Amino acid sequence: MKIHIVIAGILALTAAPASAQNADVSILAATCSGCHGANADGSGGIPGLKGQQQAYLADQLKAFKGGSRPATVMNRLAKGYTDEEIAGLALHFSRLR
């Protein structure tokens, strides 16, 4: 019985970072709605993110971060993203339908 409790505890601890990471991406993605729309469909001249190719989204965020794609706001925002956050955001928006 004690072994089962220990194993359950270990499994819970190892699962926590993945859950936390998903939560962090959801929080980051929610902040995008101010410009890209509540459903990530885009708004006015601001492009939609929903359903875009994951690699395309990641490349664009990296271009904003590196300064090779000029922008009014995104280049400043992207500089604060880690490579893991960029990958997570790209995956998140690519999966939206």
Side-chain angles (χ1 to χ4, degrees), residues 45-88:
I46 298 173
L49 304 174
K50 179 168 61 175
Q52 293 285 347
Q53 295 291 318
Q54 181 179 355
Y56 172 78
L57 291 169
D59 288 345
Q60 298 312 303
L61 284 169
K62 290 175 187 175
F64 284 129
K65 183 176 181 173
S68 63
R69 181 171 179 182
T72 56
V73 175
M74 278 306 304
N75 53 354
R76 290 179 274 168
L77 292 173
K79 287 181 185 192
Y81 297 148
T82 65
D83 290 340
E84 292 80 16
E85 289 169 332
I86 287 174

Side-chain angles (χ1 to χ4, degrees), residues 9 12-14 18 24 28 31 34-35 38 41 43 51 56 65-68 71-72 78 80 92 94 96:
L13 289 174
T14 59
D24 291 346
L28 282 178
T31 65
C35 296
D41 289 322
S43 177
Y56 172 78
K65 183 176 181 173
S68 63
T72 56
H92 172 82
S94 71
L96 293 181

